[in-house]
């Protein structure tokens, strides 16, 4: 079996001229459908290349590669939309980051626990790594998405320039510390626990990927991954005006655009995480899910802070009361779910219920 099936490199290369045509010609119906199909194919190609890189470098570095890659693309998409249309996009970064947290901590985690629970019953993971991830996630989300509602330097859900700069630095430093701990000082806390280390857990299913790719193949996969992700953000950028117009025409909340952006960039990680959970590798699933949520905040907030401070563009970060309640419920539930080192189908159902409620009440506030 070839390491690079034809579709894995043909999809992003074929999608590139479609993205260019969309920017030049606009987006008539036929071209819009073609761009949407190319977007999905390119996302699946990105998943394939990311898995090759991960297989080569091993855990936890492999999951970190995909988390960082898609988050960088997410940041690029947010910045491009904000720069292209400065007015009316003050809350886009907040909506996208919050959507990423909710979709990951409830949707992706919930799907992984349900898929893994249906096949394996009880699944185990390293409690120390999960606890650290949740602690960092709680601190980052509250400091950047809740605290702006309670500062007094400037009324409203926004930071003053000095507060925004401080929040950006704190987010970057805390995320950098997490990556350092995950990959250097406590790497073992983020590797898959053996069955004997977790009561009632089954053996992890063996990989069927064959030998890892060579160094040259891994570098080629990394290059194709980069191309796939760049094409993904280009196609998403081309489709975003049509999505904005459709949301406005349907008189739906503007926050849905942030959800759509987050869903697009999280799709590769979601597929990979679910696949890992099905193979009883829940640790890999959690590394991907929690790592992507942390990267989304830790990299996006500093980036949009720099944009706001250098261009003077207003930036709304504070959540509304409904969002604050959902965040509190998510952090509480996630703490309880990951507090024992074991998970079952029930916890997955709870998280999926929260995710569904968040999506529904965002569309119908």
């Amino acid at each position: 079996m070839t390491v690079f099936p034809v579709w894995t490199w043909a999809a992003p290369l074929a999608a590139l001229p479609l993205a260019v045509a969309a920017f030049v010609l606009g987006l008539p119906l036929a071209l819009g459908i073609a761009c949407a199909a190319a977007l999905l194919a390119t996302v699946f190609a990105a998943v394939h290349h990311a898995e090759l890189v991960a297989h080569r470098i091993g855990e936890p570095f492999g999951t970190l590669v995909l988390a960082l890659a898609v988050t960088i693309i997410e940041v690029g998409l947010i910045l491009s939309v904000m720069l292209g249309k400065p007015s009316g996009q003050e809350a886009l970064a907040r909506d996208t980051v919050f959507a990423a947290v909710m979709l990951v901590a409830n949707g992706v985690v919930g799907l992984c626990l349900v898929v893994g629970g249906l096949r394996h019953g009880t699944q185990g993971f390293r409690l120390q790594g999960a606890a650290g991830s949740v602690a960092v996630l709680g601190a980052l989300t509250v400091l950047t998405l809740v605290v702006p509602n309670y500062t007094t330097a400037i009324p409203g859900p926004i930071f003053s320039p000095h507060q925004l700069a401080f929040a950006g630095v704190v987010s970057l430093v805390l995320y950098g510390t997490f990556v350092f701990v995950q990959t250097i000082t406590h790497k073992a806390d983020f590797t898959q626990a053996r069955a004997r280390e977790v009561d009632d857990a089954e053996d992890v299913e063996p990989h069927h990927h064959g030998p890892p790719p060579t160094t040259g193949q891994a570098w080629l996969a990394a290059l194709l991954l980069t191309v796939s992700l760049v094409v993904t953000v280009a196609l998403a950028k081309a489709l975003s005006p049509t999505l904005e117009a459709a949301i406005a025409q349907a008189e739906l909340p503007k926050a849905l655009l942030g959800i759509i952006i987050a869903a697009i960039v999280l799709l590769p990680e979601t597929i990979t995480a679910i696949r890992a959970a099905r193979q009883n590798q829940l640790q890999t699933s959690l590394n991907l899910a929690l790592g992507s949520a942390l990267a989304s905040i830790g990299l996006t907030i500093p980036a949009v802070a720099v944009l706001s401070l250098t261009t003077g563009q207003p930036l709304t970060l504070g959540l509304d009361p409904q969002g604050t309640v959902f965040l509190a419920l998510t952090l509480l539930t996630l703490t309880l779910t990951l507090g024992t080192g074991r998970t079952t189908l029930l916890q997955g159902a709870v998280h999926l219920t929260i995710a569904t409620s968040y999506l529904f009440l965002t569309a119908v506030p």
Side-chain angles (χ1 to χ4, degrees):
M1 182 177 179
T2 179
V3 176
F4 298 101
V6 174
W7 68 270
T8 62
W9 55 264
L13 294 181
L16 187 57
L18 289 175
V20 174
F23 282 110
V24 174
L25 304 176
L27 205 65
L29 179 60
L31 184 57
I33 294 175
C35 286
L39 177 61
L40 290 176
T42 305
V43 165
F44 280 98
V47 172
H48 177 81
H49 301 311
E51 289 184 335
L52 287 178
V53 175
H55 189 32
R56 175 63 186 177
I57 63 180
E59 288 298 320
F61 295 97
T63 53
L64 182 63
V65 168
L66 185 55
L68 288 176
V70 299
T71 303
I72 290 171
I73 297 304
E74 175 188 329
V75 171
L77 183 54
I78 292 173
L79 295 182
S80 65
V81 172
M82 292 178 69
L83 288 171
K85 187 179 179 182
S87 60
Q89 299 296 341
E90 296 85 359
L92 177 63
R94 177 202 65 190
D95 293 339
T96 305
V97 168
F98 182 55
V101 172
M102 295 300 295
L103 292 177
V104 165
N106 293 308
V108 178
V109 170
L111 284 171
C112 289
L113 298 188
V114 168
V115 170
L118 285 173
R119 184 164 187 177
H120 303 286
T122 299
Q123 292 186 290
F125 57 91
R126 299 276 189 183
L127 181 58
Q128 299 91 333
S133 300
V134 173
V136 176
L137 181 63
L140 284 176
T141 51
V142 172
L143 289 174
T144 58
L145 301 179
V146 178
V147 170
N149 292 323
Y150 300 97
T151 55
T152 57
I154 298 179
I158 60 177
F159 278 135
S160 70
H162 291 91
Q163 292 169 341
L164 183 58
F166 177 77
V169 171
V170 167
S171 298
L172 193 59
V173 169
L174 187 53
Y175 178 68
T177 304
F178 169 78
V179 172
F180 178 74
V181 170
Q182 183 187 33
T183 58
I184 304 297
T185 62
H186 292 75
K187 186 168 66 173
D189 290 346
F190 298 88
T191 56
Q192 180 67 46
R194 299 179 183 274
R196 65 174 178 269
E197 299 176 279
V198 184
D199 294 338
D200 301 328
E202 298 179 7
D203 287 327
V204 175
E205 292 186 6
H207 287 283
H208 298 286
H209 301 308
T214 64
T215 301
Q217 290 172 334
W219 278 110
L220 179 58
L223 176 62
L224 290 172
L225 171 62
T226 303
V227 172
S228 299
L229 292 173
V230 170
V231 173
T232 297
V233 73
L235 288 171
K237 180 69 170 68
L239 291 168
S240 62
T242 302
L243 292 173
E244 288 184 73
I247 290 172
Q249 186 174 3
E251 299 182 348
L252 293 171
K254 294 175 65 175
L256 285 178
L257 180 60
I259 293 177
I260 293 172
I261 291 175
I264 290 173
V265 299
L266 287 172
L267 186 56
E269 289 175 294
T270 302
I271 297 170
T272 306
I274 293 174
R275 190 175 298 167
R278 191 172 183 273
Q279 295 175 338
N280 205 18
Q281 298 163 1
L282 185 61
Q283 186 67 55
T284 299
S285 300
L286 294 179
N287 288 347
L288 276 168
L290 298 179
S292 63
L294 292 172
S296 179
I297 304 174
L299 297 179
T300 302
I301 297 301
V304 297
V306 170
L307 176 66
S308 178
L309 293 172
T310 55
T311 65
Q313 184 170 339
L315 184 64
T316 300
L317 289 179
L319 294 171
D320 59 18
Q322 177 178 292
T324 302
V325 171
F326 268 114
L327 178 60
L329 177 60
T330 297
L331 293 176
L332 174 62
T333 307
L334 195 63
T335 301
L336 295 174
T337 295
L338 303 181
T340 63
R342 298 188 302 169
T343 60
T344 64
L345 170 67
L346 176 60
Q347 288 125 316
V350 172
H351 283 280
L352 286 180
T353 300
I354 297 174
T356 303
S357 301
Y358 159 70
L359 294 174
F360 177 78
L361 292 176
T362 299
V364 188

